[in-house]
Amino acid sequence: MNLQLLAQINSFLAALVLLTAFAMLSQRKINSLVTLFAWQGLFLSINTAVVGFVAAKHHLYISSLLTLSIKVILLPYILHVLIVRLKIRKEMETIMNIPTTMLIGIALVIFSYHLTAPVREMSTLITRSTLAVALATVMIGLLMMITRKHAVTQIIGFLAMENGLFFAATSATYGMPLVVELGVALDVLIAAFIFGIFFFHISTTFDSLSVEQMESLREDN
Amino acid sequence: MILLVLIITPFVAAMILAFIGDRKVAPVINIFSSFLTFLAGIALAVEVFRHGQFVAGGKFFFVDAFNVYLSVLTAFVSMTTAVFSRRYMQREKDHGKVGHTRMRFYHAMFQMFIFAMLLCLLTNNIGVLWIAMELATLSTVLLVSLYRTPNAIEAAWKYFILCGVGIAQALFGTVLLYFAAEKVIGEGGEALLWTNLIEVSGSLEPTVLSLAFVFLVVGYGTKVGLVPLHNWLPDAHSEGPTPISAVLSGLLLNIALYALVRCKVLVDGSTHTHYAGNIMMGFGIISILVASFSILRQKDIKRMFSYSSIEHMGIATFAFGLGGSIATFGALLHMLMHSITKSSIFFTVGHVCQMNQTQEISRIKGLFKGDPFTGWSLMLGAMAIAGMPPFGIFTSEFLILTATIKDVPLLTPLILIGLAVAFAGLLRKVQYMVSGDIPSYFKQLKTARTPVILHMALVLALAFYMPAFLYKWFQAAVELLK
């Protein structure tokens, strides 16, 4: 396969990652949100393998497999189990209406392109143009955490941010050194364990997983 | 070798404590292993003192004057906290606040937290530094929610989410740093080693590093508790068990600041401007002002002292940002003094809260009459943290102010206002708590005095006499951070 084609595949996958990010932003149903998250992980995993092939970096195959097993299989599975066990309502309330959130999302993408311009100019890698997409994914994840007042959606936003970071590492530098990637994966696993415990604590203490009721610790004058 | 003992001891202790569970020996093992860690820390410090900085473990670890003093400090405070927590947690258990499972968890995670902090300090790899920082957050999240009250869970959730988001920004900054380093050093793990990065920092691309620093300062700044990224801090400090408040405030904030300063050195080397310093100074000033005014309106004693932590981290961040030998020396000293004083205050506050069975300032009264030792240690601790002479914080704040007057005189009034407001706020409230009559619900308890006395004696002694080795370390660290 020639390099041109692979570069195009890479861009295509980046577009898909961004598309899933926007889809997550517009999605109200929690089950679909988890599915979309799994899809995003899958695109990311394929993309990592493609980049690994282009750059002949074998450690990227390991990262790709890690992503596949953790973000496509394990985490969505855990989330699904938790949703069933905790009998979480299917529909989510959003603070802002969805079209507004989407518009902010678009602004974030433009902002990311602007911000990463100096990096793009200096880079010689074929993946350089996808760095902006990666940063946009991070920021959309953040936006999702802000606009949803529900523990599960906040966590999915958090994990989507993590996806964006991983994507950034792949596109800016063909992946971080293996020891770092393994460590990050370990941290994500521990975090998954902890939020699982948290969901149980929150739902038993507050009777639901909406974070809106957690407002007692505010500065009152 | 000593390095390995230092790192491994807390890790092994965490495993052992998780295995044996909540037995009578668990707190003893906790204290013993912390003591062992402290001894290893001292031994390592002696080695650095004799032979200077070195790398070890296939360049994985790096020890210099800057991180060795913080390692000894970490080991020391965690040791005294372990001593304090034995009786304190026993009493919480007797009150039915925590059960066996949670005590097992508490001890194991306490040691895990120390392990994460030491790894953070001693690693040479800035990627691993990030991982260890995240591990330090994760190991304390469930300790903050240990009591399972609605407030504790809310505080822990906030801590988890906000620090998680913050630290994610720091990872993006690290990716950018790696991107710049890879161009110069070449691919692979070598490009993330601090010892390599510092050598080539002059040839790293300035625009990329400037961009990276924005992400790094937001990321690690969240953990330092810099305003406006500080929202998690007062909650986590006030709702968690007091020994955890002591180590979070006394140690974790230092570690995050350490990471930030390490990154700043690289950015400075690359940009040759005062760019990173200015950002840090800005965050520092805002933190000092906002935190000191927040102290005034606190109703909860632990929240009040956590705002004071934000203020002091603001001062240290400002001083590192200011740069120059006097300010940097002052900042290093300030980190040390704040850490020792604040953890001692939290020990005392823990005793006070148990005696009065409340954290509300308005319900705490008559400590001088009720328990003179605790009353006086709260009063003296508050005086020390407010920056009264003859305590050590006065010395460091004096140094920092001197440097400010010399380099950026226009900012001096802002800092002075912050210091004065914090001073007035703290002393007024503490005055209220120590004076007056003993309330009816007051119950005198046996307290762990040794840690408090030890810490206060140190703060006092270091103000009058600075040992030669400490002076040499600080000088070496100042050289390094220039």
Side-chain angles (χ1 to χ4, degrees):
Chain A
M1 272 195 277
N2 61 18
L3 217 60
Q4 199 66 45
L5 181 66
L6 285 167
Q8 274 173 10
I9 293 175
N10 173 251
S11 304
F12 178 63
L13 286 165
L16 285 177
V17 169
L18 192 62
L19 191 69
T20 41
F22 270 102
M24 274 151 99
L25 208 53
S26 66
Q27 187 55 256
R28 277 178 197 274
K29 293 200 182 72
I30 203 149
N31 280 318
S32 324
L33 213 51
V34 175
T35 316
L36 280 169
F37 170 72
W39 276 107
Q40 192 178 47
L42 183 66
F43 296 140
L44 209 58
S45 164
I46 299 172
N47 180 56
T48 313
V50 170
V51 174
F53 178 73
V54 174
K57 292 270 163 21
H58 298 297
H59 77 86
L60 280 180
Y61 294 136
I62 301 175
S63 315
S64 167
L65 278 178
L66 263 179
T67 313
L68 189 72
S69 49
I70 294 178
K71 283 171 182 161
V72 185
I73 300 164
L74 191 63
L75 286 176
Y77 174 73
I78 293 176
L79 285 167
H80 265 301
V81 169
L82 284 170
I83 289 167
V84 173
R85 285 275 291 279
L86 294 169
K87 302 190 184 66
I88 292 168
R89 276 185 304 126
K90 295 283 187 295
E91 296 250 331
M92 290 298 132
E93 299 285 318
T94 52
I95 296 178
M96 254 185 272
N97 64 33
I98 284 172
T100 319
T101 340
M102 300 289 267
L103 282 176
I104 298 175
I106 292 168
L108 286 176
V109 175
I110 297 168
F111 178 64
S112 308
Y113 266 94
H114 175 70
L115 206 62
T116 51
V119 179
R120 249 195 339 272
E121 276 164 22
M122 280 169 39
S123 179
T124 48
L125 310 184
I126 62 155
T127 52
R128 63 183 177 274
S129 56
T130 54
L131 181 65
V133 175
L135 185 59
T137 314
V138 173
M139 294 198 167
I140 290 174
L142 192 59
L143 182 65
M144 205 164 105
M145 291 178 80
I146 298 167
T147 53
R148 309 288 170 89
K149 287 280 175 184
H150 192 277
V152 178
T153 35
Q154 282 195 337
I155 283 300
I156 294 175
F158 178 70
L159 292 170
M161 271 179 80
E162 191 74 45
N163 272 350
L165 287 169
F166 178 78
F167 194 27
T170 321
S171 48
T173 60
Y174 289 155
M176 300 283 267
L178 194 60
V179 54
V180 178
E181 298 229 335
L182 288 176
V184 173
L186 181 71
D187 276 346
V188 171
L189 270 185
I190 301 173
F193 183 66
I194 289 178
F195 71 66
I197 296 175
F198 252 120
F199 288 167
F200 279 99
H201 288 176
I202 296 175
S203 66
T204 48
T205 320
F206 295 96
D207 290 324
S208 101
L209 273 166
S210 167
V211 260
E212 268 181 326
Q213 18 189 5
M214 296 205 270
E215 287 194 334
S216 54
L217 294 177
R218 278 199 173 168
E219 289 308 330
D220 36 40
N221 294 300
Chain B
M1 184 57 212
I2 294 164
L3 192 80
L4 217 57
V5 175
L6 178 61
I7 289 273
I8 292 295
T9 311
F11 188 76
V12 172
M15 296 296 145
I16 294 173
L17 285 165
F19 183 72
I20 66 160
D22 183 31
R23 306 250 179 91
K24 265 224 151 66
V25 294
V28 182
I29 295 178
N30 196 19
I31 294 171
F32 180 74
S33 69
S34 309
F35 182 63
L36 206 64
T37 315
F38 178 57
L39 285 185
I42 296 269
L44 186 70
V46 170
E47 211 171 299
V48 174
F49 182 68
R50 282 207 186 125
H51 310 295
Q53 61 185 56
F54 63 91
V55 284
K59 289 194 185 171
F60 190 79
F61 295 111
F62 168 63
V63 193
D64 65 4
F66 187 24
N67 61 14
V68 81
Y69 112 84
L70 284 171
S71 309
V72 175
L73 180 64
T74 303
F76 173 73
V77 174
S78 50
M79 175 182 75
T80 48
T81 307
V83 174
F84 160 73
S85 100
R86 188 172 75 107
R87 195 169 276 152
Y88 183 87
M89 290 314 284
Q90 180 61 43
R91 204 167 280 141
E92 295 291 89
K93 207 168 68 178
D94 295 344
H95 286 177
K97 277 188 161 178
V98 280
H100 288 292
T101 337
R102 282 190 242 164
M103 280 307 288
R104 174 198 293 253
F105 188 77
Y106 168 83
H107 282 126
M109 280 302 142
F110 184 80
Q111 290 292 333
M112 202 58 175
F113 178 53
I114 296 168
F115 165 74
M117 287 192 295
L118 287 172
L119 183 62
C120 226
L121 287 171
L122 295 169
T123 183
N124 189 13
N125 187 319
I126 53 168
V128 176
L129 173 78
W130 183 89
I131 295 163
M133 189 76 81
E134 175 80 346
L135 187 64
T137 313
L138 294 175
S139 57
T140 42
V141 160
L142 291 179
L143 289 182
V144 169
S145 69
L146 197 72
Y147 294 146
R148 302 277 166 84
T149 58
N151 279 353
I153 289 177
E154 180 186 337
W157 180 256
K158 245 184 184 174
Y159 176 41
F160 180 53
I161 291 293
L162 287 176
C163 283
V165 169
I167 209 91
Q169 311 298 322
L171 183 59
F172 194 80
T174 311
V175 169
L176 288 178
L177 201 58
Y178 179 60
F179 169 77
E182 193 199 42
K183 296 256 173 298
V184 185
I185 301 173
E187 291 165 18
E190 291 277 305
L192 272 178
L193 297 185
W194 202 79
T195 38
N196 292 350
L197 284 168
I198 192 71
E199 273 171 25
V200 299
S201 71
S203 37
L204 297 175
E205 180 57 43
T207 40
V208 177
L209 254 71
S210 309
L211 186 61
F213 190 71
V214 174
F215 285 98
L216 289 165
V217 86
V218 169
Y220 291 133
T222 310
K223 296 223 73 174
V224 182
L226 297 176
V227 177
L229 312 161
H230 67 290
N231 277 331
W232 64 273
L233 194 145
D235 298 345
H237 284 50
S238 62
E239 299 304 326
T242 309
I244 298 306
S245 317
V247 282
L248 282 182
S249 185
L251 301 177
L252 184 66
L253 307 184
N254 271 357
I255 310 291
L257 187 55
Y258 162 84
L260 189 56
V261 172
R262 281 269 191 230
C263 297
K264 177 193 179 264
V265 174
L266 291 180
V267 177
D268 278 350
S270 159
T271 57
H272 298 292
T273 58
H274 210 257
Y275 163 80
N278 286 342
I279 294 182
M280 284 175 78
M281 274 160 73
F283 272 111
I285 289 274
I286 297 172
S287 306
I288 296 171
L289 287 173
V290 172
S292 56
F293 280 98
S294 301
I295 289 175
L296 288 179
R297 46 178 230 205
Q298 293 312 311
K299 300 189 175 90
D300 180 311
I301 183 170
K302 280 167 90 178
R303 274 184 95 82
M304 177 175 81
F305 282 114
S306 49
Y307 272 106
S308 148
S309 294
I310 299 176
E311 182 220 341
H312 285 284
M313 289 334 270
I315 295 174
T317 310
F318 172 80
F320 277 123
L322 189 59
S325 35
I326 299 176
T328 311
F329 192 96
L332 292 168
L333 188 64
H334 198 75
M335 277 166 96
L336 173 73
M337 292 300 177
H338 170 254
S339 170
I340 299 178
T341 318
K342 190 50 70 59
S343 40
S344 149
I345 289 179
F346 271 115
F347 299 159
T348 311
V349 166
H351 292 143
V352 170
C353 294
Q354 279 189 333
M355 286 175 187
N356 291 286
Q357 286 153 39
T358 178
Q359 288 181 203
E360 264 176 66
I361 293 175
S362 58
R363 281 172 62 83
I364 302 170
K365 269 186 103 43
L367 286 174
F368 276 159
K369 284 186 190 158
D371 186 326
F373 176 81
T374 308
W376 277 109
S377 42
L378 185 65
M379 190 69 207
L380 291 175
M383 279 158 74
I385 207 79
M388 275 240 263
F391 296 100
I393 288 193
F394 173 75
T395 320
S396 57
E397 282 180 354
F398 186 76
L399 284 174
I400 293 169
L401 271 175
T402 317
T404 315
I405 293 169
K406 189 171 142 280
D407 294 338
V408 277
L410 285 177
L411 290 178
T412 326
L414 291 180
I415 298 181
L416 279 175
I417 290 172
L419 290 179
V421 170
F423 184 91
L426 280 172
L427 287 189
R428 190 172 59 104
K429 299 213 162 155
V430 169
Q431 178 76 36
Y432 172 84
M433 286 186 277
V434 292
S435 58
D437 286 322
I438 308 168
S440 56
Y441 42 80
F442 182 84
K443 207 167 59 183
Q444 189 161 21
L445 300 166
K446 210 166 150 39
T447 52
R449 294 187 177 184
T450 328
V452 180
I453 296 174
L454 202 59
H455 279 222
M456 291 310 286
L458 257 177
V459 177
L460 205 56
L462 285 173
F464 289 108
Y465 169 71
M466 179 170 261
F469 67 89
L470 202 60
Y471 186 74
K472 191 181 154 188
W473 279 349
F474 280 4
Q475 281 300 343
V478 167
E479 242 355 90
L480 205 83
L481 300 179
K482 251 183 189 166

